[in-house]
Amino acid sequence: MVEISSDVIRGYNDTIILFLLKDKPSYGYEIQKQIRNLSEEKYIIKETTLYSAFTRLEKSGFVESFTDDTSGKKRTYYKITDEGQKYYNDKCKEWDLTKEVIENFIVREVENGNN
Amino acid sequence: MVEISSDVIRGYNDTIILFLLKDKPSYGYEIQKQIRNLSEEKYIIKETTLYSAFTRLEKSGFVESFTDDTSGKKRTYYKITDEGQKYYNDKCKEWDLTKEVIENFIVREVENGNN
DNA sequence: CTATCATACTTTATCTGTCGTAGTATGTCA
DNA sequence: TGACATACTACGACAGATAAAGTATGATAG
């Protein structure tokens, strides 16, 4: 079974989170489930990684937090800022470049020339 | 200008190095130049990153070192092992998966619907 | 002959992001 | 009432990247 290592995804956790906040505010638990689902269980972000990412993103001014408990549960929601949106866009561009660069060093296996 | 951040490439430095050792042994300075050239200056690996990667790869048994000074300069060459080759192949498979996962969270910009 | 530059590294210390472990608190459901 | 899901926080450890600095040699130019 091929597993995704954390070092690989490391540069994209913040981007992934911002993507999920792009259209509406959300909170930790939900984000975690969405990452799990959208990746079809291929990537399951650790709680601590996620929450420390929120802290970092807020410090950087890429998200803003507010609390809400109208659902019964008290939650800390995060909302993307304009700065955050810009950062996200930049990261998407960076991704294209990164992909290009890495693929110079990746050999795609030729699956058996027979038959 | 879009720059590649180190956190993004972090999971692939070892893979990149192994790729460049795949066909023949090589050494630090040359590897560094090859990465620079093959990536068209888009990725320039830091010396310390490179040499610490060699150490790590050797500890893991993915490369073996030997010295040679027939070129006039004394150099430490690294040669990929079977284990290293296997690791490289696994990383290539992992890459496909990683790419797939990350792209679920990347929005490709639509460039201006006008005109 | 000497200074400068390119080559070919090593050492050390620091920073950042991830993650294991643990704990708290509340709501839901059987 | 006890288990389970939700919704976090705190703390410490670790690995990989990197800045800064230093060492040593060969090649080249004036």
Side-chain angles (χ1 to χ4, degrees), chain B residues 44-89:
Chain B
I44 295 164
I45 196 167
K46 303 289 183 306
E47 273 185 273
T48 37
T49 302
L50 180 59
Y51 289 110
S52 78
F54 279 141
T55 308
R56 182 172 50 247
L57 286 166
E58 188 160 30
K59 267 190 198 136
S60 308
F62 297 153
V63 301
E64 278 163 9
S65 65
F66 60 94
T67 51
D68 182 289
D69 56 0
T70 52
S71 70
K73 275 279 197 206
K74 195 178 156 226
R75 292 177 189 143
T76 306
Y77 282 81
Y78 293 90
K79 183 187 181 308
I80 195 167
T81 62
D82 289 350
E83 278 276 289
Q85 181 64 57
K86 192 177 166 314
Y87 176 78
Y88 172 76
N89 292 338

Side-chain angles (χ1 to χ4, degrees), chain B residues 11-28:
Chain B
Y12 277 88
N13 276 327
D14 289 4
T15 311
I16 288 172
I17 293 166
L18 291 176
F19 170 82
L20 295 168
L21 297 176
K22 224 163 40 66
D23 300 322
K24 58 163 189 29
S26 189
Y27 58 97

Side-chain angles (χ1 to χ4, degrees), chain A residues 40-91:
Chain A
E40 288 159 337
E41 312 269 319
K42 281 166 201 144
Y43 181 45
I44 296 165
I45 195 168
K46 303 290 183 304
E47 272 185 275
T48 37
T49 303
L50 180 59
Y51 289 110
S52 79
F54 278 140
T55 308
R56 183 172 51 249
L57 287 166
E58 187 160 30
K59 265 189 198 139
S60 307
F62 297 154
V63 299
E64 279 163 8
S65 64
F66 60 94
T67 50
D68 181 290
D69 57 0
T70 51
S71 70
K73 275 275 199 210
K74 194 178 157 231
R75 295 176 187 144
T76 307
Y77 282 81
Y78 293 91
K79 184 185 179 310
I80 195 169
T81 62
D82 289 349
E83 278 276 289
Q85 182 63 58
K86 193 177 166 314
Y87 176 79
Y88 173 77
N89 292 338
D90 289 347
K91 278 288 170 178

Side-chain angles (χ1 to χ4, degrees), chain A residues 95-106:
Chain A
W95 168 249
D96 286 338
L97 187 60
T98 302
K99 206 170 52 166
E100 211 184 293
V101 166
I102 291 181
E103 297 208 326
N104 285 315
F105 305 97
I106 291 290

